[in-house]
Amino acid sequence: MASPNIRYGARIRKRQKAVKADKVALYKCEECGHVAVKRISTSIWRCRHCGATYAGGAYTMTTAAGEVARRQVDSIRKSNKG
Ligand SMILES: [Zn+2]
């Protein structure tokens, strides 16, 4: 299957909707300043303008969102154990 199924409940499925929007969004390149950074693979982002490649979040460039995602992964892991 092309995209992973999200099956951890309604809250996470809601989150997945926002994640998809972030995945297709373009971000500002720190090298050339153009808003042309696109997600090319999990955690890999590349500027279409200058070719600069970034290792970012799996679904977003921003650290804040990455932090939220990390907390969600933590809580998913906890709920899977318990
Ligand atoms: Zn660039």
Side-chain angles (χ1 to χ4, degrees):
M1 207 172 284
S3 62
N5 280 331
I6 302 297
R7 54 180 94 170
Y8 298 114
R11 260 176 74 192
I12 298 298
R13 280 202 297 273
K14 254 186 184 175
R15 173 70 191 158
Q16 174 70 354
K17 224 177 163 184
V19 160
K20 274 184 180 167
D22 284 345
K23 268 169 76 174
V24 298
L26 292 172
Y27 293 87
K28 192 179 177 184
C29 176
E30 286 169 27
E31 292 293 322
C32 71
H34 282 81
V35 180
V37 178
K38 205 180 177 211
R39 180 184 183 273
I40 61 166
S41 184
T42 304
S43 299
I44 301 171
W45 301 77
R46 183 171 292 158
C47 176
R48 292 192 302 183
H49 187 80
C50 72
T53 307
Y54 300 95
Y59 299 108
T60 71
M61 275 287 282
T62 60
T63 307
E67 189 63 21
V68 170
R70 193 189 59 77
R71 281 200 296 267
Q72 284 182 336
V73 168
D74 277 354
S75 71
I76 288 165
R77 283 194 180 135
K78 272 175 199 161
S79 66
N80 280 352
K81 276 179 193 169

